[in-house]
């Protein structure tokens, strides 16, 4: 790609800035005795000698040390490079006459020198990375010749969590000039796409990188049959197991592709900071890491930016509190450090390793994730001032990679995309003073274990804990009672009883005392939902309740873990008649999804029911505000393994765009409603693209076809 910005770099300005930086570094060394008791300089001329010797030592020795100690640098996450930098300063200063220095003083001196270098280049408006590091990398590979059979490659850069609507605003406000230039020059086309349910990185990256996200219910879920184990998509021990299930070997990166800072590998053998592969310690070392430690200052620069980002976040916390910006959540110093890790450390590692990949020209493709926007938007809000600076920095990273491509011997095309968007709003707990888990417990007995041992309760409650196999056999025989409401007559069930005497006696469910009482009062399920006055109980014995409630953004998952199978709608209202009416009538809940033994998936709102199998709507459509494809997403989701007994989606306000998370995040995603399901893709304009892109598999197909097109060139 042609990039005029890079070719117009003012070399004289760079030289002048470098001279000023050297002078400032000398002044820092002169001031060191006042900053550290572990440093005695002697004559001020020693400062000049130290800086000159340090420059020479870094030029000659750093490349040698890097080759020897690279593995040490990696396993210490760069701390080893900082220590080596300090030791080199200590080495050049120790033998000078009248200089007395300790390791602590040397480390402090190198820290201040790198802070000054980074600050001066920023003030001079010179991109140190563009002006120096990329040139250094290009010299390393300048003698490599492009193989005759190497077609153009593809670099795919994901901006985690960025909705197209927010991207449009960022471009309009001038925060993303690189992407704006591509669009205006018509080299790239910007398009919105629609995520699957759930709208989160686990499901989206599985679909984009492997073409398969089946059974990924949410960011986290429960495996009832596996001793109620909670699975977390990004967990380093769980992600490999998920990838084993979704991979067929034909992932997006299976043909000499590289994975950088992703959840899944796309079947790549070349990966850095990829959750599904990170425990493979024998593959932790990757020659591409050389790009991160190109010079003695390269990683130190990252460390300085890391510290600066912590200060920026702490300032933001103070500003939010003074201005009383709402909604607001508690953040603190721990979060500030985590934010800097994602927004700076991972960002810079991704860019520098990819720049090395591009200049080497060996990879056919790469997929990398910039996580900074998603992390900051979660905690500050999707349009907070904090996010615009993050997007500006990401745009600069993209420009740097464009610069690297412009001097690479092998051409590469770029695709920029996001895996999902985010919605904004105060959390469920902030709005209503209670978590979803504690709210659910209000509709359950104080000690659910009594349901197993109370021999005097109705027969259904005592006997019904069937095996999953029995449930599946029963469902196969349900054709003759499809669309049958439990509140209607049930004579047709007798056929099932006769054919499956060894299975669950369905008629016992219908004859249970609880169901008989409800049928006398309500004519159908909607009448029950609207009319039932749910009783709320105390929760002082909540810890004894066999219940797991998880939040995945504004998607809630309710598991009643006494039963190893997924409870049906009929079973839930028989066992816990307060639960479903109590949930759907809450103002923070938009709808719930349950599975009916007779009707399949039922989406229930406070004033209506959507039957997914028949597309029949009774009362008001509970999905009216959640998009035209909402029913399709929920119908597919309802077939997934390990679905919760009740899936809960928060409300969505079309006017304000607000949703409410069931975890403590201001910007959130995971369910349906608003911009969280509307990410973007910016792709080369000469590609053929369908009119509508729905689901992560559609992005996988588009990218695969794009790679095929590049191979044919």
């Amino acid at each position: 790609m042609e990039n005029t910005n890079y070719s117009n770099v003012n070399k004289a300005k760079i030289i002048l800035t470098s001279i000023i930086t050297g002078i400032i570094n000398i002044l820092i060394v002169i001031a060191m005795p006042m900053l550290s008791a572990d440093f005695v300089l002697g004559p001020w001329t020693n400062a000049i000698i130290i800086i000159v010797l340090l420059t020479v030592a870094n030029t000659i020795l750093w490349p040698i040390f890097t080759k020897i100690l690279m593995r040490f640098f990696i396993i210490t996450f760069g701390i080893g490079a900082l220590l080596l930098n300090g030791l080199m300063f200590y080495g050049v200063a120790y033998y000078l006459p009248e200089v007395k220095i300790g390791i602590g003083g040397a480390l402090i001196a190198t820290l201040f020198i790198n802070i000054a270098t980074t600050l001066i280049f920023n003030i001079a408006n010179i991109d140190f990375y563009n002006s120096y590091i990329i040139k250094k990398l290009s010299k390393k590979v300048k003698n490599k010749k492009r193989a005759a059979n190497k077609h153009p490659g593809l670099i795919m850069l994901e901006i985690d969590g960025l909705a197209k609507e927010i991207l449009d605003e960022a471009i309009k406000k001038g925060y993303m000039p690189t992407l704006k230039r591509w669009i205006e020059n018509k080299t790239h086309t910007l398009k919105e796409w629609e995520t699957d349910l759930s709208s989160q990185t686990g499901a989206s990256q599985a679909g984009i990188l492997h073409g398969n996200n089946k059974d990924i219910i949410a960011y986290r879920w429960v495996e009832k049959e596996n001793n109620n184990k909670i699975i977390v998509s990004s967990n380093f021990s769980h992600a490999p197991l998920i990838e084993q299930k979704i991979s067929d070997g034909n992932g997006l990166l299976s043909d000499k592709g590289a994975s950088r800072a992703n959840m899944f590998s796309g079947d790549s053998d070349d990966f850095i900071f990829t959750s599904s592969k990170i425990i493979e310690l024998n593959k932790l070392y990757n020659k591409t890491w050389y790009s991160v430690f190109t010079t003695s200052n390269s990683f130190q620069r990252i460390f300085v930016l890391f510290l600066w980002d912590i200060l920026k976040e702490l300032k933001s916390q103070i500003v939010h509190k003074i201005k009383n910006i709402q909604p607001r959540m508690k953040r603190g110093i721990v979060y500030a450090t985590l934010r800097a890790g994602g927004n700076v450390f991972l960002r810079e590692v991704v860019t520098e390793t990819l720049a090395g990949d591009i200049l080497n020209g060996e990879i056919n493709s790469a997929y990398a994730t910039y996580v900074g926007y998603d992390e900051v938007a979660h905690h500050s809000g999707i349009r907070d001032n904090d996010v615009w600076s993050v997007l500006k920095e990401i745009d600069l990273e993209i420009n740097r990679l464009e610069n690297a491509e412009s001097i690479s011997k092998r051409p590469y095309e770029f695709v920029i995309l996001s895996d999902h968007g985010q919605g904004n709003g105060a959390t469920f707990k902030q709005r209503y003073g209670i978590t979803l888990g504690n709210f659910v417990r209000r509709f359950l007995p104080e000690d659910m274990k009594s349901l197993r041992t109370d021999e005097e309760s109705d027969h259904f409650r005592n006997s019904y804990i069937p095996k999953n196999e029995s449930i599946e056999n029963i469902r196969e025989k349900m054709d003759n009672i499809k669309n049958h409401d439990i509140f209607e007559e049930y004579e047709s069930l007798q056929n099932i009883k006769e054919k499956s005497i060894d299975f669950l006696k369905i008629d016992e469910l219908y004859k249970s005392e609880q169901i008989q009482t409800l049928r006398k009062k309500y004519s159908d399920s909607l009448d029950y939902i609207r009319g039932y006055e749910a009783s709320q109980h105390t929760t002082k014995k909540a810890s004894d309740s066999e219940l797991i409630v998880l939040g995945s953004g504004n998607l809630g998952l309710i598991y009643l873990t006494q039963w190893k199978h997924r409870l049906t709608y009929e079973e839930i209202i028989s066992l816990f008649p307060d639960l479903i009416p109590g949930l759907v009538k809450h103002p923070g809940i938009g709808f719930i999804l349950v599975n009916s033994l007779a009707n399949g998936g039922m989406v229930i709102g406070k004033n209506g029911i959507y039957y997914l199998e028949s597309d029949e709507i009774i009362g008001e459509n509970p999905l009216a505000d959640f998009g035209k494809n909402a029913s399709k997403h929920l119908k597919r989701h309802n077939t997934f393994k390990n679905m919760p007994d009740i899936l809960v989606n928060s409300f969505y306000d079309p006017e304000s765009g607000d949703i409410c998370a069931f975890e403590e995040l201001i910007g959130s995603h995971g369910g349906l409603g608003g911009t969280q399901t509307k990410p973007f893709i910016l792709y080369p304009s000469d590609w053929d693209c369908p009119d509508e892109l729905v689901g992560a598999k559609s992005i996988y197909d588009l990218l695969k076809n794009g790679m095929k097109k590049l191979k044919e060139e």
Side-chain angles (χ1 to χ4, degrees), residues 85-143:
N85 202 241
L87 288 173
M88 291 181 70
F89 186 97
Y90 175 82
V92 300
Y94 183 80
Y95 293 103
L96 291 178
E98 301 184 50
V99 172
K100 294 181 180 179
I101 186 172
I103 297 298
L107 291 172
I108 294 173
T110 54
L111 174 61
F112 278 105
I113 286 172
N114 283 291
I115 290 174
T117 300
T118 303
L119 182 62
I120 292 168
F121 270 80
N122 285 342
I123 292 174
N125 197 28
I126 295 175
D127 188 340
F128 179 78
Y129 187 83
N130 272 342
S131 63
Y132 187 74
I133 296 180
I134 285 183
K135 287 187 177 181
K136 187 80 172 178
L137 288 172
S138 65
K139 288 180 181 178
K140 183 176 182 293
V141 299
K142 67 179 181 180
N143 294 323

Side-chain angles (χ1 to χ4, degrees), residues 439-440 442-444 518 521-522 528-537 576-586:
F439 181 68
V440 170
R442 288 184 173 183
F443 301 105
L444 302 176
L518 294 174
K521 295 182 65 175
Y522 307 108
Y528 158 65
I529 296 299
R530 286 174 169 172
Y532 190 90
E533 295 295 331
S535 301
Q536 296 190 24
H537 309 293
F576 313 109
D578 296 312
L579 183 53
I580 290 178
L583 284 172
V584 299
K585 290 177 181 178
H586 191 283

